[in-house]
Amino acid sequence: MSTHAPASPAEKHSTAMAPPSRERVTTHAAFAGVRRVPTPVNEQNKTYAPGSPERAELKARLNAMTAEKIDIPLIIGGREIRTGRTEKAVMPHDHGHVLAEYHLAGPEHIQQAIDAAAAARREWGSWSWDDRAAVLLKAAELLSSTWRATLNAATMLGQSKTVFQSEIDAVSEMIDFWRFNCAFAEELYSEQPISSPGVWNSIEYRNLEGFVYAVTPFNFTAIGGNLTTAPALMGNTVVWKPASSAMLAAYYTYKVLEAAGLPPGVINFLPGDAVQISNALLDSPELAGVHFTGSTAVFNGMWKKVGENMGRYRGYPRLVGETGGKDFIVAHPSADPTEVAVAIARGGFEYQGQKCSAASRIYIAQSLWDEVRDRTIAMMKDIKMGDVRDFRNFMGAVIDKKAFAKISEYLQDAKRNAKILQGGGASGEKGYFIEPTLLQTEDPGYRLLCEEIFGPVVTAYVYPDGQWEATLEIIDKTSPYALTGAVFSRDRAGVRQAFSALRNAAGNFYINDKPTGAVVGQQPFGGARGSGTNDKAGSKLNLVRWVSARTLKETFSPPRDYRYPFMAEE
C-alpha cells in the first residue's frame, strides 16, 4: 500500500545513486554562507467542508485504511524487525475493529536500539544544523501535501478524533513544530558572546553524550512528532517508545520522517512493554535525556530511578516532562455568561476531555450560574457523539477500556456524592463512549475538583459573588497541578487579581478564552508543579535542553611575560 505519492523515475535513480552520507557532509562543508531557514508561518487548517477536495480525499483515505489491517514492525537502525509477539491496534469507537497488529520489543531489541542510536550519533552529530533542519522542513512539506490525508485518517481511526481535532493536531501542529523548531534552532545557534580586542569568543552547542529516550502519549499525534525530533534537530539520536493506543499514527509519523530523508538510527521506533523498556533504558549508561509526556506518577518514577542510577551515567541526564493537569475556568461576576458556557463546552468536551489542557473544574459566580448552567446544558444536549467518520459528530470515544473504566468510576462517585446536571452515561459495548457530563458540588475539596480524570467530565463549584479573592485562593491550592487555566472577566480589575493570585497555578494562562488550543510559535506549552518541568514545547526554551554548550576563547596574541603592570617598581 502506498501512503504518499510515488517517486518519479528520476527521483528513484537519484536515491539509488546517492553517495554515502559521510561524503554528503564533506561536500556540504564547501558551502560558503550563513543559511537561514524559511520564516515559519502557522499551517492553515483545512475546513473539510462538504464538496471540498480535502474532504473527498480524506473520506477516501478513511475508507481505504478502515478496510486494511497493517503490520507494524520495530524500526531499529533503519531496519524493520518483526518479533512475532504482537498486540492489536483498534478503533476506540468500534473496538472490535482491528486496524493494525504491532510487534513488541524484547530485551535484546532494547539494547539494539541503544547501540543503533550510538552508531548513528557519530554521523548525525557531525552534520551541520541546517542539514538536520532540512530533513524536518521536508517532512513538514510532505505532511502539508501528500501525507496529510494519511496522518489525519490514522489519527481519526486510531485515536477517535474528529476531523477538526485531528487536523489541528496531526497535521497543523506537527508541521508547526517542525518548521518553528528549525527557526528556533537557528536563533539559538546564532547567540554568541561578545569578544574583547585581540580575543575571539564563541559558544559551540554540542549534542548530548548519549541517547534521548522519548516517551509519547496517545492524545496528540504531534507530540510524537515533536518529542522525537526536537532532540534530533539538535544533533541527538533518539529511542522512541510510542503509546500503545496511538500506534497507527505514530508509525505513519515515523514513515513521514523516513520519506523526508531521516538517516537510519537517528530515531529508533520501539513499541513494547512500557515498564520493561523504561527500566532498561533508564539503567543504560548511555542515557543522556528523557523527553516525556504522560502521567505525573510515571514521570515521578522515572525521576526517582534516574536519581538512583546517577553513578552510572556520564553526566546528569536532561529530564523534560509534561505531565498531569486539572485545568480550570474561573468566571468573575462581570463575565459574559455565553462566552463562559462556550468555553466550558469546547474546553471540556472537545476530544472527549482527553487534552492535557482540557477544562475539568470550573468556578462560577452565583449571579452568573443559572445562565451559564442553562446555556452549557443546551449545548451539551445538542452535541452529537459517535463514529468520527461521520463528520456531524462533535465527539468520539475515549481511548480504551482502561480509560472507560476509570471515568465510569468517577461518574459513579458523582452520582453518590455530587449532583449530575447533564450527561453521566457510559456505554462500552461497541465503542468506549462517555457522555459529556456537567456536575455540581458544594464541596471545594471534592475529589472530582482535585483529581485528574482525563475524560469529558466537568465539575462546577458556585461561589458567592463577594468571595472572589477567596475563590482564587481555593483554585490555587486545590490541585497539585499547574498546567492551564482561564479567567473570564469584563472587569479589568478582576483579570489583574486572577493574574496575580494564580501566577503559579498555570503555565499557560488564558484571559477570556478556553484553556485549550495552544499554537506553536504563539503560546509555548507547558506547566509546572505536578504538571511537569515547564520547558515549553514549541519554543527555544525546549531546544536549549538538548544541547551542551562549550565556550571557546581564541587569543590572537598571547602574553609573553607572566608579570602584570602593577608589579613594576615605583
Side-chain angles (χ1 to χ4, degrees):
M1 176 201 63
S2 175
T3 56
H4 59 288
S8 68
E11 287 172 329
K12 291 179 180 178
H13 178 74
S14 175
T15 302
M17 299 300 293
S21 57
R22 190 168 300 279
E23 292 183 32
R24 288 201 298 270
V25 173
T26 303
T27 301
H28 183 79
F31 178 85
V34 178
R35 302 186 75 187
R36 299 192 184 280
V37 300
T39 301
V41 177
N42 292 112
E43 179 73 6
Q44 291 297 303
N45 302 320
K46 292 188 180 294
T47 65
Y48 298 91
S52 65
E54 66 265 18
R55 185 184 180 103
E57 182 185 14
L58 179 56
K59 286 277 192 177
R61 197 73 186 98
L62 285 166
N63 289 337
M65 292 176 70
T66 299
E68 65 189 12
K69 183 173 77 173
I70 69 168
D71 183 58
I72 299 177
L74 319 179
I75 306 175
I76 299 174
R79 185 167 62 96
E80 294 188 353
I81 299 174
R82 291 171 172 83
T83 65
R85 298 185 301 276
T86 62
E87 294 286 349
K88 294 178 172 61
V90 303
M91 296 183 189
H93 46 273
D94 184 3
H95 50 63
H97 189 115
V98 178
L99 295 164
E101 289 191 351
Y102 59 92
H103 293 257
L104 304 175
E108 69 276 22
H109 306 112
I110 301 171
Q111 186 58 51
Q112 288 171 17
I114 294 171
D115 294 341
R121 187 172 70 252
R122 290 188 290 271
E123 170 75 15
W124 181 248
S126 72
W127 283 26
S128 63
W129 74 269
D130 48 303
D131 271 328
R132 297 193 298 265
V135 175
L136 297 194
L137 293 174
K138 182 171 181 178
E141 198 64 26
L142 292 173
L143 182 52
S144 72
S145 54
T146 54
W147 282 81
R148 193 181 204 110
T150 294
L151 261 292
N152 262 330
T155 300
M156 292 173 68
L157 296 175
Q159 290 138 269
S160 201
K161 286 202 170 188
T162 64
V163 60
F164 177 70
Q165 293 300 315
S166 179
E167 173 76 3
I168 63 177
D169 161 29
V171 175
S172 294
E173 186 171 33
M174 187 134 68
I175 289 170
D176 287 351
F177 275 134
W178 290 343
R179 289 176 175 162
F180 277 85
N181 277 348
C182 291
F184 295 141
E186 178 188 304
E187 184 179 336
L188 176 62
Y189 287 128
S190 297
E191 291 182 358
Q192 294 294 323
I194 62 172
S195 299
S196 55
V199 171
W200 188 4
N201 295 318
S202 58
I203 291 181
E204 177 190 14
Y205 297 95
R206 304 169 295 180
N207 56 301
L208 305 180
E209 290 189 277
F211 68 87
V212 174
Y213 178 28
V215 184
T216 62
F218 77 85
N219 60 335
F220 277 87
T221 298
I223 294 178
N226 181 54
L227 265 59
T228 52
T229 61
L233 174 62
M234 310 312 288
N236 301 286
T237 51
V238 177
V239 178
W240 179 15
K241 166 62 183 72
S244 60
S245 47
M247 198 60 67
L248 190 67
Y251 173 68
Y252 282 119
T253 298
Y254 181 92
K255 299 304 283 185
V256 173
L257 292 165
E258 185 181 64
L262 185 75
V266 173
I267 296 174
N268 299 279
F269 185 78
L270 204 65
D273 180 80
V275 174
Q276 181 186 59
I277 291 173
S278 290
N279 284 340
L281 294 179
L282 298 180
D283 281 343
S284 172
E286 295 296 314
L287 180 72
V290 175
H291 208 187
F292 175 91
T293 295
S295 78
T296 302
V298 170
F299 191 55
N300 288 351
M302 287 182 164
W303 199 286
K304 180 178 179 180
K305 189 168 183 63
V306 167
E308 293 170 348
N309 284 338
M310 278 312 304
R312 65 177 66 195
Y313 306 131
R314 282 198 183 93
Y316 294 95
R318 309 292 176 88
L319 304 182
V320 175
E322 189 251 292
T323 54
K326 190 65 179 175
D327 310 300
F328 62 85
I329 293 174
V330 56
H332 185 266
S334 69
D336 182 293
T338 301
E339 294 172 355
V340 175
V342 171
I344 294 169
R346 285 187 170 184
F349 305 130
E350 285 182 330
Y351 191 43
Q352 298 79 265
Q354 296 175 125
K355 298 183 181 184
C356 310
S357 55
S360 180
R361 54 186 177 125
I362 62 174
Y363 301 80
I364 312 292
Q366 180 69 57
S367 60
L368 299 177
W369 174 237
D370 288 351
E371 186 174 356
V372 170
R373 178 197 61 211
D374 293 348
R375 288 183 179 276
T376 303
I377 290 174
M379 284 182 273
M380 293 170 68
K381 289 180 176 178
D382 190 57
I383 286 174
K384 292 181 173 62
M385 176 175 64
D387 192 321
V388 294
R389 289 170 291 182
D390 182 346
F391 286 13
R392 295 171 296 180
N393 287 323
F394 182 83
M395 291 173 58
V398 298
I399 192 65
D400 56 22
K401 185 177 182 179
K402 182 178 178 182
F404 178 82
K406 175 186 174 184
I407 300 165
S408 296
E409 188 278 324
Y410 276 112
L411 293 177
Q412 292 303 314
D413 189 286
K415 290 173 182 177
R416 294 190 301 268
N417 300 304
K419 182 180 180 181
I420 293 182
L421 304 175
Q422 177 63 29
S427 175
E429 289 77 15
K430 181 177 176 61
Y432 301 115
F433 291 105
I434 303 285
E435 287 183 338
T437 301
L438 178 65
L439 60 98
Q440 182 180 354
T441 180
E442 296 181 0
D443 177 9
Y446 178 49
R447 62 181 295 217
L448 270 70
L449 280 173
C450 305
E451 299 174 15
E452 184 178 44
I453 301 173
F454 228 63
V457 181
V458 175
T459 305
Y461 175 75
V462 180
Y463 69 90
D465 285 32
Q467 294 186 14
W468 167 246
E469 293 185 12
T471 301
L472 295 178
E473 185 175 354
I474 289 172
I475 295 170
D476 185 51
K477 294 181 178 179
T478 292
S479 166
Y481 304 108
L483 190 51
T484 74
V487 58
F488 280 79
S489 177
R490 287 180 287 189
D491 180 346
R492 193 66 193 178
V495 171
R496 287 178 54 80
Q497 289 166 332
F499 180 83
S500 176
L502 302 174
R503 178 180 176 85
N504 295 308
N508 282 57
F509 190 71
Y510 296 81
I511 299 169
N512 294 319
D513 200 356
K514 61 182 174 63
T516 65
V519 177
V520 176
Q522 298 187 39
Q523 299 98 27
F525 191 78
R529 293 182 178 170
S531 292
T533 57
N534 203 20
D535 286 296
K536 296 299 185 192
S539 80
K540 186 172 64 175
L541 295 174
N542 185 276
L543 298 187
V544 169
R545 300 302 307 276
W546 309 119
V547 292
S548 178
R550 178 169 68 156
T551 300
L552 307 175
K553 177 187 177 184
E554 181 174 358
T555 301
F556 296 122
S557 181
R560 300 177 64 82
D561 190 332
Y562 84 93
R563 290 168 294 187
Y564 293 96
F566 77 89
M567 300 170 64
E569 292 186 11
E570 296 290 345

